[in-house]
Amino acid sequence: MKIISNLSRREFLEKTVPAALGFSVAPGLIQASQMQDAHRFSQQSAEMTRKEMQKFVPVMITPYDDNSKIDFNKVSRLIDFYLAAGAKGFFANCLSSEMFYMSDEERIALTKHVVKYINGKVPVVSTGSFGETIKEKALFAKKIHETGVDAVILISGHLAEKDQSDDVLIENFEKMFTLTGNMRLGTYECPLPYKRIISPKVFSFLVSNKRMIYHKDTSEDINQIRAKLDICRGTQMEFYDAHSATALEALQNGAKGLSPISGNFYPEIHSWLCENANNPSKSADASWIQNEIANMEPVISKFYPVSSKYFLQKRGLPISLICRSNKTQIPAEQREILDAAYKTFLGWCERLGIKAVSV
């Protein structure tokens, strides 16, 4: 098993709201053509709703048993929890999943379990760019693809060395495209093996390939986020922001959804924000909760992902605190801080009218 130490912080379930059409004309005056037009308008309205829906997609943590092996029963319980909290997709086998501390066999088994358990309710994506050479990465991508995921995610830092140019990165992406057939793909600016932020030049190249449907952005820079959103606007590429502090502005500028680590603490809040970021009647609440989650991020990030497992334990999920990437016990003072954060979360729910998921 290949291990990387010093872990750093880092379509879809379509929700159709039918359009309602009212007529105030006498019976017999509505011609067949008008009825057809009405039906077509209803379909177009529903399609518009589907396209515009913004989604919370959790970056899944991995529960382990007492022997530090993947606890697949607890993975299933976690999936149920995410779904109840409003998740509209899943990113399995990611940094939060501790994928760098897994063997290829475990990465595949975990992805396969998530896909099978969800059974098409919502889309699943999974990282598939592991391997030493581009050819090896493509072979592993095919194995992840065979699990039934909706897209195979390529880590930007896997496809070029830190000192290599964007031209090299583009060249290696092209090689991956050639070697991976017609599978749908995505990109992830993962902090490991190093954090390679995708430039507008590279992003434009990626968006031009219709197979590229997913991007998880970790730039934490609203100017870069806006630039990328301008590039992918109206295309097949779905943009997901990983940074809580830029969540609201990213959604208001057209991001498809959110995938922050804080979704492993209070996913209901991110689901609410995705649903209400562009709702004028909720603008004050949206701005307020944006400020709250931005301030909370440094608090919950300490000792992550152990901290998220502790928080979820408080919420009733029967998962252990065992992690492979961080074996440090959470100090008593930090537990008190997380206890206070849990009470704060309940206060958020009360103000926003959210019913916290009961486990």
Side-chain angles (χ1 to χ4, degrees), residues 95-110:
L95 188 57
S96 289
S97 309
E98 301 179 277
M99 62 181 177
F100 285 100
Y101 293 80
M102 294 181 184
S103 64
D104 281 353
E105 291 74 20
E106 287 177 312
R107 293 163 183 153
I108 293 168
L110 178 61

Side-chain angles (χ1 to χ4, degrees), residues 78-116:
L78 185 62
I79 291 170
D80 290 337
F81 171 75
Y82 287 129
L83 288 171
K88 296 295 189 292
F90 287 84
F91 194 157
N93 186 42
C94 57
L95 188 57
S96 289
S97 309
E98 301 179 277
M99 62 181 177
F100 285 100
Y101 293 80
M102 294 181 184
S103 64
D104 281 353
E105 291 74 20
E106 287 177 312
R107 293 163 183 153
I108 293 168
L110 178 61
T111 303
K112 186 179 294 184
H113 178 85
V114 174
V115 170
K116 183 177 180 180

Side-chain angles (χ1 to χ4, degrees), residues 48-68:
M48 184 177 297
T49 299
R50 289 194 291 269
K51 287 181 178 179
E52 293 176 350
M53 185 183 70
Q54 293 171 302
K55 307 177 293 181
F56 163 62
V57 176
V59 283
M60 299 181 67
I61 57 172
T62 302
Y64 299 105
D65 63 20
D66 292 340
N67 296 313
S68 199

Side-chain angles (χ1 to χ4, degrees), residues 54-197:
Q54 293 171 302
K55 307 177 293 181
F56 163 62
V57 176
V59 283
M60 299 181 67
I61 57 172
T62 302
Y64 299 105
D65 63 20
D66 292 340
N67 296 313
S68 199
K69 293 184 178 180
I70 298 174
D71 189 331
F72 289 102
N73 289 329
K74 296 300 190 299
V75 173
S76 298
R77 292 287 300 275
L78 185 62
I79 291 170
D80 290 337
F81 171 75
Y82 287 129
L83 288 171
K88 296 295 189 292
F90 287 84
F91 194 157
N93 186 42
C94 57
L95 188 57
S96 289
S97 309
E98 301 179 277
M99 62 181 177
F100 285 100
Y101 293 80
M102 294 181 184
S103 64
D104 281 353
E105 291 74 20
E106 287 177 312
R107 293 163 183 153
I108 293 168
L110 178 61
T111 303
K112 186 179 294 184
H113 178 85
V114 174
V115 170
K116 183 177 180 180
Y117 190 80
I118 290 174
N119 193 29
K121 294 185 182 74
V122 297
V124 179
V125 301
S126 175
T127 305
S129 54
F130 285 93
E132 294 300 319
T133 66
I134 294 296
K135 185 176 181 180
E136 289 176 355
K137 296 179 195 302
L139 288 173
F140 185 72
K142 290 179 181 179
K143 292 178 181 179
I144 290 293
H145 176 68
E146 289 168 358
T147 66
V149 293
D150 292 83
V152 177
I153 306 304
L154 310 178
I155 294 177
S156 52
H158 273 172
L159 295 176
E161 297 297 329
K162 192 172 184 178
D163 59 351
Q164 290 180 320
S165 69
D166 278 351
D167 290 335
V168 172
L169 181 59
I170 289 174
E171 180 182 346
N172 287 332
F173 268 118
E174 286 182 321
K175 290 178 181 178
M176 284 294 289
F177 295 158
T178 300
L179 293 170
T180 52
N182 61 356
M183 72 177 69
R184 292 186 294 181
L185 302 167
T187 51
Y188 175 19
E189 297 169 337
C190 184
L192 292 177
Y194 75 96
K195 191 169 181 175
R196 178 88 181 213
I197 299 301

Side-chain angles (χ1 to χ4, degrees), residues 203-250:
F203 197 62
S204 295
F205 162 76
L206 296 173
V207 171
S208 69
N209 189 312
K210 300 303 181 184
R211 290 164 53 202
M212 297 295 300
I213 65 169
Y214 184 103
H215 172 69
K216 183 187 173 186
D217 194 271
T218 69
S219 68
E220 304 183 11
D221 183 332
I222 192 60
N223 291 321
Q224 292 199 42
I225 289 170
R226 287 197 201 101
K228 289 176 186 171
L229 287 171
D230 284 343
I231 291 168
C232 71
R233 200 178 313 281
T235 73
Q236 81 290 342
M237 182 73 87
E238 295 190 358
F239 183 105
Y240 293 88
D241 188 14
H243 188 43
S244 289
T246 53
L248 179 59
E249 195 164 353

